Amino acid sequence: MTGNVVSSPVQLPTHVWLRVIDNLQHDWPALLACSKVCRNWNNNRTQLYLPRSFEGGVDLCDEEDLSGLAQVAHAARRLAMIRTIHLYGHRVSGSLSHLGLLVDMNSDKFPSLQELRLLCGHWDLKNLDTRLLFRGLPAFTSIVRLHLERLTIPSTTIFVQLLTTLGNLHHLGCTDATILDEDCNLSALPTTGLCKLNSVTLDCLDDDYVYRLCAALRLAASCRIVEIAVAHDPSDIAYEGYMQVVRTLPSSLTSLTIVMHDVNVSKELIGR
């Protein structure tokens, strides 16, 4: 018997190639290659893991994540859809040194980026060149929302510079943020040159200084919406700072939410 034998391509069971994609969820270049294999591989799960994830947000945890993002940067359509970046501290060290790598990427690659969240880490002065960082950040003019959550900031100066370089901010959120070095006289801080915020969220019961700093900078003075946390016990450390912020609130305020924490039961939300 003669003739050419034509073999059919092997069809993997659906659960197998889904497992392959799941295992590559943090390897964006590999996922991008997978999406080009066939229509089945270019499915909803592949698209979910690529840097266009849930509600236009993407999580970045270290230099490897930034490298992967840079490698798919040629897929401009994908980066153009990113509206939120969650930048976490390094998985091991907690350092936010990879923030510098993000700023080094051309801001034009993120035309839809509106929100930057710095989470669960510390601002590493040893490995993060703040001079270059604050030179590059002003180019990200589309960022209008900044959240600092469980973040350790080295000094008042760094905090003020961050707000100054992001001149189009409309919202600032601080949750469990800490400032280590109170290197400025609060009464001497400038209140001009900072962005005019529309809304502020403050929940930093462990660091009264964050409240007092925000009051000194009058960050809530132009806000229409303010949410601020206070301990159920008025003798708590953050109560005086809380009162200082309240005194700066404008008469034009349209919404004030007070979140009360019961310090005797941990930081459980007990009422608004």
Side-chain angles (χ1 to χ4, degrees):
M1 183 175 178
T2 61
N4 295 328
V5 177
V6 179
S7 60
S8 300
V10 175
Q11 296 294 327
L12 293 174
T14 300
H15 72 276
V16 173
W17 54 260
L18 285 178
R19 178 64 64 86
V20 171
I21 291 171
D22 286 343
N23 288 335
L24 293 173
Q25 61 180 283
H26 299 298
D27 190 341
W28 292 330
L31 281 174
L32 194 62
C34 287
S35 71
K36 298 176 182 178
V37 171
C38 65
R39 185 176 300 173
N40 285 339
W41 281 49
N42 188 25
N43 57 50
N44 289 337
R45 191 170 305 199
T46 304
Q47 298 303 318
L48 174 68
Y49 291 141
L50 281 166
R52 188 180 93 177
S53 59
F54 182 66
E55 295 184 348
V58 61
D59 294 347
L60 303 171
C61 297
D62 52 28
E63 291 83 356
E64 186 176 342
D65 287 348
L66 265 298
S67 176
L69 189 66
Q71 289 182 56
V72 299
H74 62 278
R77 180 176 61 86
R78 300 186 186 283
L79 298 190
M81 297 187 70
I82 294 177
R83 297 191 299 274
T84 303
I85 287 180
H86 306 101
L87 194 84
Y88 289 86
H90 189 278
R91 294 180 177 93
V92 177
S93 68
S95 171
L96 281 172
S97 59
H98 44 296
L99 174 59
L101 297 178
L102 174 65
V103 174
D104 285 344
M105 297 180 68
N106 194 323
S107 60
D108 293 342
K109 292 185 172 67
F110 305 98
S112 301
L113 180 61
Q114 298 178 355
E115 184 171 342
L116 177 62
R117 289 178 170 265
L118 304 180
L119 305 146
C120 307
H122 62 271
W123 192 292
D124 186 359
L125 287 177
K126 184 179 298 185
N127 297 305
L128 181 59
D129 190 327
T130 54
R131 181 178 56 86
L132 294 178
L133 178 70
F134 291 133
R135 183 184 297 174
L137 268 178
F140 289 78
T141 56
S142 62
I143 297 178
V144 295
R145 297 176 63 86
L146 175 66
H147 289 264
L148 310 174
E149 183 173 342
R150 286 177 284 171
L151 182 70
T152 301
I153 303 167
S155 67
T156 304
T157 300
I158 295 294
F159 180 82
V160 174
Q161 282 185 292
L162 181 60
L163 298 185
T164 303
T165 53
L166 292 174
N168 292 329
L169 284 184
H170 294 166
H171 173 79
L172 173 67
C174 293
T175 303
D176 292 333
T178 301
I179 297 176
L180 293 180
D181 186 0
E182 303 172 14
D183 61 345
C184 295
N185 182 350
L186 292 183
S187 62
L189 286 173
T191 56
T192 58
L194 294 174
C195 46
K196 298 297 183 182
L197 299 174
N198 293 330
S199 59
V200 165
T201 300
L202 297 175
D203 188 348
C204 302
L205 297 188
D206 292 333
D207 192 348
D208 176 65
Y209 183 73
V210 173
Y211 286 71
R212 291 187 287 115
L213 175 58
C214 290
L217 294 172
R218 299 185 60 80
L219 293 181
S222 60
C223 288
R224 297 178 59 193
I225 301 172
V226 172
E227 179 174 324
I228 184 168
V230 62
H232 191 248
D233 180 2
S235 64
D236 186 73
I237 186 174
Y239 191 76
E240 178 56 34
Y242 156 80
M243 289 303 301
Q244 290 183 24
V245 173
V246 168
R247 294 186 191 106
T248 68
L249 298 181
S251 58
S252 57
L253 192 70
T254 59
S255 175
L256 172 62
T257 301
I258 299 175
V259 180
M260 302 193 72
H261 291 297
D262 186 348
V263 294
N264 296 318
V265 184
S266 77
K267 291 187 175 179
E268 295 284 337
L269 180 67
I270 63 170
R272 286 182 179 239

